[in-house]
PDB file of all heavy atoms in Angstrom:
ATOM      1  N   THR A 142      79.501  62.875   8.948  1.00  0.00           N
ATOM      2  CA  THR A 142      78.044  62.691   8.696  1.00  0.00           C
ATOM      3  C   THR A 142      77.370  63.946   8.575  1.00  0.00           C
ATOM      4  O   THR A 142      76.195  64.062   8.174  1.00  0.00           O
ATOM      5  CB  THR A 142      77.448  61.994   9.866  1.00  0.00           C
ATOM      6  OG1 THR A 142      77.758  62.538  11.181  1.00  0.00           O
ATOM      7  CG2 THR A 142      78.027  60.542   9.948  1.00  0.00           C
ATOM      8  N   VAL A 143      77.899  65.183   8.930  1.00  0.00           N
ATOM      9  CA  VAL A 143      77.274  66.465   8.963  1.00  0.00           C
ATOM     10  C   VAL A 143      77.886  67.273   7.842  1.00  0.00           C
ATOM     11  O   VAL A 143      78.913  67.910   7.959  1.00  0.00           O
ATOM     12  CB  VAL A 143      77.278  67.287  10.236  1.00  0.00           C
ATOM     13  CG1 VAL A 143      76.550  68.558  10.178  1.00  0.00           C
ATOM     14  CG2 VAL A 143      76.740  66.467  11.328  1.00  0.00           C
ATOM     15  N   ILE A 144      77.264  67.188   6.624  1.00  0.00           N
ATOM     16  CA  ILE A 144      77.819  67.779   5.316  1.00  0.00           C
ATOM     17  C   ILE A 144      76.664  68.554   4.587  1.00  0.00           C
ATOM     18  O   ILE A 144      75.569  68.072   4.390  1.00  0.00           O
ATOM     19  CB  ILE A 144      78.448  66.770   4.469  1.00  0.00           C
ATOM     20  CG1 ILE A 144      79.495  65.915   5.112  1.00  0.00           C
ATOM     21  CG2 ILE A 144      78.873  67.400   3.082  1.00  0.00           C
ATOM     22  CD1 ILE A 144      79.987  64.675   4.312  1.00  0.00           C
ATOM     23  N   ALA A 145      76.963  69.752   4.383  1.00  0.00           N
ATOM     24  CA  ALA A 145      75.967  70.539   3.623  1.00  0.00           C
ATOM     25  C   ALA A 145      76.682  70.950   2.304  1.00  0.00           C
ATOM     26  O   ALA A 145      77.857  71.413   2.222  1.00  0.00           O
ATOM     27  CB  ALA A 145      75.636  71.853   4.339  1.00  0.00           C
ATOM     28  N   VAL A 146      76.031  70.877   1.151  1.00  0.00           N
ATOM     29  CA  VAL A 146      76.600  71.023  -0.213  1.00  0.00           C
ATOM     30  C   VAL A 146      75.712  72.136  -0.888  1.00  0.00           C
ATOM     31  O   VAL A 146      74.410  72.051  -0.975  1.00  0.00           O
ATOM     32  CB  VAL A 146      76.629  69.781  -1.001  1.00  0.00           C
ATOM     33  CG1 VAL A 146      77.275  70.161  -2.354  1.00  0.00           C
ATOM     34  CG2 VAL A 146      77.498  68.817  -0.236  1.00  0.00           C
ATOM     35  N   ASP A 147      76.378  73.075  -1.424  1.00  0.00           N
ATOM     36  CA  ASP A 147      75.598  74.125  -2.326  1.00  0.00           C
ATOM     37  C   ASP A 147      76.265  73.909  -3.734  1.00  0.00           C
ATOM     38  O   ASP A 147      77.317  74.186  -4.078  1.00  0.00           O
ATOM     39  CB  ASP A 147      76.022  75.481  -1.912  1.00  0.00           C
ATOM     40  CG  ASP A 147      75.243  76.595  -2.769  1.00  0.00           C
ATOM     41  OD1 ASP A 147      74.374  76.205  -3.553  1.00  0.00           O
ATOM     42  OD2 ASP A 147      75.377  77.728  -2.507  1.00  0.00           O
ATOM     43  N   ASP A 148      75.442  73.160  -4.548  1.00  0.00           N
ATOM     44  CA  ASP A 148      75.860  72.602  -5.931  1.00  0.00           C
ATOM     45  C   ASP A 148      75.506  73.625  -6.950  1.00  0.00           C
ATOM     46  O   ASP A 148      74.351  74.294  -6.783  1.00  0.00           O
ATOM     47  CB  ASP A 148      75.269  71.226  -6.104  1.00  0.00           C
ATOM     48  CG  ASP A 148      75.845  70.550  -7.368  1.00  0.00           C
ATOM     49  OD1 ASP A 148      76.868  71.070  -7.757  1.00  0.00           O
ATOM     50  OD2 ASP A 148      75.299  69.586  -7.747  1.00  0.00           O
ATOM     51  N   ALA A 149      76.227  73.802  -7.941  1.00  0.00           N
ATOM     52  CA  ALA A 149      75.922  74.772  -8.976  1.00  0.00           C
ATOM     53  C   ALA A 149      74.677  74.308  -9.744  1.00  0.00           C
ATOM     54  O   ALA A 149      74.045  75.233 -10.391  1.00  0.00           O
ATOM     55  CB  ALA A 149      77.118  74.803  -9.992  1.00  0.00           C
ATOM     56  N   THR A 150      74.294  73.120  -9.764  1.00  0.00           N
ATOM     57  CA  THR A 150      73.067  72.730 -10.422  1.00  0.00           C
ATOM     58  C   THR A 150      71.927  72.277  -9.418  1.00  0.00           C
ATOM     59  O   THR A 150      71.117  71.591  -9.788  1.00  0.00           O
ATOM     60  CB  THR A 150      73.361  71.494 -11.332  1.00  0.00           C
ATOM     61  OG1 THR A 150      73.859  70.458 -10.514  1.00  0.00           O
ATOM     62  CG2 THR A 150      74.376  71.879 -12.447  1.00  0.00           C
ATOM     63  N   GLN A 151      71.905  72.767  -8.207  1.00  0.00           N
ATOM     64  CA  GLN A 151      70.977  72.360  -7.207  1.00  0.00           C
ATOM     65  C   GLN A 151      69.532  72.734  -7.516  1.00  0.00           C
ATOM     66  O   GLN A 151      68.608  72.146  -7.114  1.00  0.00           O
ATOM     67  CB  GLN A 151      71.246  72.889  -5.843  1.00  0.00           C
ATOM     68  CG  GLN A 151      70.943  74.376  -5.786  1.00  0.00           C
ATOM     69  CD  GLN A 151      71.417  74.949  -4.441  1.00  0.00           C
ATOM     70  OE1 GLN A 151      72.443  74.311  -3.777  1.00  0.00           O
ATOM     71  NE2 GLN A 151      70.950  76.081  -3.891  1.00  0.00           N
ATOM     72  N   ILE A 152      69.347  73.679  -8.476  1.00  0.00           N
ATOM     73  CA  ILE A 152      68.020  74.127  -8.829  1.00  0.00           C
ATOM     74  C   ILE A 152      67.287  72.981  -9.565  1.00  0.00           C
ATOM     75  O   ILE A 152      66.142  72.847  -9.396  1.00  0.00           O
ATOM     76  CB  ILE A 152      67.984  75.376  -9.728  1.00  0.00           C
ATOM     77  CG1 ILE A 152      68.478  76.554  -8.730  1.00  0.00           C
ATOM     78  CG2 ILE A 152      66.569  75.719 -10.313  1.00  0.00           C
ATOM     79  CD1 ILE A 152      68.731  77.784  -9.588  1.00  0.00           C
ATOM     80  N   THR A 153      68.020  72.069 -10.280  1.00  0.00           N
ATOM     81  CA  THR A 153      67.496  71.090 -11.060  1.00  0.00           C
ATOM     82  C   THR A 153      67.230  69.810 -10.306  1.00  0.00           C
ATOM     83  O   THR A 153      66.694  68.861 -10.652  1.00  0.00           O
ATOM     84  CB  THR A 153      68.430  70.635 -12.212  1.00  0.00           C
ATOM     85  OG1 THR A 153      69.654  70.205 -11.730  1.00  0.00           O
ATOM     86  CG2 THR A 153      68.620  71.824 -13.137  1.00  0.00           C
ATOM     87  N   LYS A 154      67.714  69.799  -9.007  1.00  0.00           N
ATOM     88  CA  LYS A 154      67.730  68.604  -8.197  1.00  0.00           C
ATOM     89  C   LYS A 154      66.529  68.617  -7.191  1.00  0.00           C
ATOM     90  O   LYS A 154      66.096  69.625  -6.864  1.00  0.00           O
ATOM     91  CB  LYS A 154      68.926  68.369  -7.375  1.00  0.00           C
ATOM     92  CG  LYS A 154      70.082  68.079  -8.411  1.00  0.00           C
ATOM     93  CD  LYS A 154      71.355  67.907  -7.534  1.00  0.00           C
ATOM     94  CE  LYS A 154      72.522  67.559  -8.549  1.00  0.00           C
ATOM     95  NZ  LYS A 154      73.844  67.358  -8.009  1.00  0.00           N
TER      96      LYS A 154
END
Side-chain angles (χ1 to χ4, degrees):
T142 58
V143 182
I144 301 170
V146 179
D147 188 3
D148 193 7
T150 59
Q151 74 185 26
I152 295 173
T153 62
K154 294 181 180 178

